[in-house]
């Protein structure tokens, strides 16, 4: 659909409000886990599942909703996502046990799946050149910045008002985002021929990711070689083989694998997955200082102030670096700085106040790296996508974010939970954080291998 509409600041604010319903509010579960567990009387394994479910479900359905946004309308999908966010938050507000907690977290996942690719598509459709890079910076502030403030915000609200109020605020922001986006002209692709949605691919993909998540999150409680764990592993392997064998032979596959023929897109998406997998850092660090050092949710949140300040301030720096140097250099620098930050936090054997200082500084480095990386990576991904597939491409890119975060948190929380029951909290925290260092190291390698080098001529042509 052609339109002369150009994006406005009102649209940007509405989109950012929609984005933070996940990254600011839904992600507070990484810090308020102990409070939720105590209030609802649930086990640690149920809590771990609830924490990872939102990212898992958003990742599983991100690609499908990206394709729906292209066909049905990107504004429409954004509004649907905001309504789902309200419903999911309501479930958590009134939850009295594990049932509504799980349901609410799943609905929040569907909400994020609708909002993320649709809003990214709107950014590409209604903003151009430097204006788009500016808009994407604010989008990144909503996502990376939201994840930065969620620990402090969640800890403060959980300590002084109760954790349920977090999701009351989420409802307010979702309503405001809906009102701000409302009235924006619709944007969708008018296809020359109708294509059927790949439901078989979606089903096999969902089974693949669910069984993997169940295998990881229940391993420590069920036993890694228990019969049920073996079943989870077997179903995961079989569904993975089926998914790739069937999907690669289809023309309307759930994931458009032709997108990965573009080296820039592949590099941005792969490193995005790996860097988001380091989100387990926040769960391990926050849980360790609460369980191992006696901090409250609010006190552990205070340690993340440096993260918040640095991630917010460095996002615009990453935008300027992108315009001056291209995407490769800031992506490499951002991932490397983030890894240094996690390494500092992993020094759990250091006693007293010194360790608290290291965590504060480590969070600051972590935020600085993520913020510097954000805009160059996102702009690379959506700029490399053809206009007719920008929703699908955005869906795959954001699927990498959500699945990376869900898998990273699931692995980190499982490693920490398993080790904390058999060893000291210090060793559990250190190993749990080293897992996240490994994710970042692989992310750095992936950028080196896949991200193309920018020439002076190509940089000049973008201005």
């Amino acid at each position: 659909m052609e339109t002369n509409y150009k994006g406005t600041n009102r649209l940007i604010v509405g989109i950012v409000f929609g984005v933070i319903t996940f990254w600011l509010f839904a992600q507070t579960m990484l810090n308020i886990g102990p409070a939720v567990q105590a209030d609802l009387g649930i086990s640690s394994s149920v809590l771990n599942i609830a924490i990872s479910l939102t990212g898992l479900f958003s990742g599983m359905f991100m690609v499908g909703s990206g394709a729906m946004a292209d066909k049905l309308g990107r504004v429409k999908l954004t509004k649907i996502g905001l309504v789902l966010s309200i419903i999911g938050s309501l479930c958590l507000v009134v939850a009295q046990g594990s049932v509504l907690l799980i349901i609410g977290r799943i609905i929040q996942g569907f909400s994020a799946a609708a909002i993320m690719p649709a809003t990214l598509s709107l950014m590409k459709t209604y903003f151009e050149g430097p204006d788009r890079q500016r808009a994407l910076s604010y989008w990144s502030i909503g996502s990376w910045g939201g994840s930065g403030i969620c620990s402090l915000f969640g800890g403060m609200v959980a300590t002084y008002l109760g954790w349920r109020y977090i999701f009351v605020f989420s409802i307010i922001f979702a309503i405001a985002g809906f009102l701000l986006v409302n009235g924006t002209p619709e944007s969708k692709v008018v296809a020359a021929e109708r294509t059927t949605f790949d439901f078989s691919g979606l089903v096999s993909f969902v089974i693949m990711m669910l069984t993997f998540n169940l295998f990881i999150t229940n391993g420590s409680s069920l036993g890694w070689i228990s019969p049920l764990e073996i079943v989870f592993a077997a179903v995961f392997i079989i569904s993975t083989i089926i998914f790739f064998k069937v999907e690669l032979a289809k023309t309307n596959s759930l994931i458009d694998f032709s997108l990965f023929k573009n080296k820039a897109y592949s590099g941005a998406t792969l490193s995005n997955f790996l860097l988001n997998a380091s989100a387990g850092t926040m769960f391990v660090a926050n849980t360790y200082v609460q369980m191992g050092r006696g901090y409250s949710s609010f006190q552990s949140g205070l340690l993340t102030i440096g993260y918040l300040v640095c991630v917010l301030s460095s996002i615009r720096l990453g935008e300027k670096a992108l315009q001056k140097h291209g995407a490769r250099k800031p992506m490499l620098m951002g991932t490397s700085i983030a890894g240094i930050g996690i390494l500092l936090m992993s020094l759990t054997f250091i006693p007293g106040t010194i360790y608290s200082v290291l965590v504060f500084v480590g969070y600051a480095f972590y935020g600085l790296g993520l913020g510097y990386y954000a805009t160059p990576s996102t702009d690379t991904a959506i700029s490399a996508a053809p206009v007719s597939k920008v929703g699908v491409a955005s869906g795959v890119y954001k699927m990498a974010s959500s699945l990376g975060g869900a898998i990273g948190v699931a692995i980190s929380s499982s490693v920490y939970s398993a080790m904390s029951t058999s060893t000291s909290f210090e060793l559990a925290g250190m190993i749990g954080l080293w897992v996240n260092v490994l994710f970042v190291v692989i992310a750095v390698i992936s950028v080196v291998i896949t991200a193309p080098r920018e020439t002076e001529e190509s940089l000049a042509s973008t201005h």
Side-chain angles (χ1 to χ4, degrees), residues 302-324:
L302 288 175
L303 294 176
T304 69
I305 290 177
Y307 176 105
L308 169 63
V309 172
C310 288
V311 77
L312 291 177
S313 60
S314 61
I315 284 173
R316 296 305 301 272
L317 294 177
E319 174 193 338
K320 302 303 180 184
L322 165 67
Q323 294 168 352
K324 185 176 181 180

Side-chain angles (χ1 to χ4, degrees), residues 42-182:
I42 57 177
S43 66
S44 60
S45 61
V46 171
L47 176 66
N48 290 342
I49 290 172
I51 289 173
S52 63
L53 271 180
T54 298
L56 180 67
F57 269 77
S58 67
M60 289 191 301
F61 292 95
M62 195 81 74
V63 179
S65 68
M68 289 176 64
D70 286 340
K71 295 177 182 179
L72 301 180
R74 291 139 185 172
V75 176
K76 182 183 293 183
L77 259 291
T78 300
K79 290 180 178 179
I80 291 172
L82 289 167
V83 171
L84 289 173
S85 177
I86 294 169
I87 296 171
S89 294
L90 274 174
C91 289
L92 297 180
V93 170
V94 301
Q96 296 300 319
S98 61
V99 176
L100 280 180
L101 174 68
I102 297 295
I103 292 173
R105 293 293 289 171
I106 290 173
I107 294 174
Q108 286 181 321
F110 283 122
S111 167
I115 290 172
M116 300 303 171
T119 53
L120 269 181
S121 299
L122 288 173
M123 291 294 191
K124 169 146 185 171
T125 303
Y126 289 144
F127 298 89
E128 296 181 357
D131 287 337
R132 185 177 66 218
Q133 292 171 348
R134 169 179 166 269
L136 285 173
S137 287
Y138 284 108
W139 192 96
S140 297
I141 287 172
S143 58
W144 294 101
S147 67
I149 197 175
C150 74
S151 183
L152 174 62
F153 172 81
M156 182 173 63
V157 174
T159 300
Y160 294 105
L161 293 177
W163 65 269
R164 298 175 194 270
Y165 277 91
I166 294 169
F167 303 103
V168 173
F169 290 122
S170 180
I171 292 171
I172 294 171
F173 272 80
I175 293 172
F178 188 98
L179 294 174
L180 289 167
V181 171
N182 192 40

Side-chain angles (χ1 to χ4, degrees), residues 183-200:
T184 302
E186 188 56 272
S187 164
K188 62 181 178 180
V189 177
V190 180
E193 57 183 38
R194 294 180 62 87
T195 56
T196 58
F197 185 75
D198 182 18
F199 286 103
S200 61

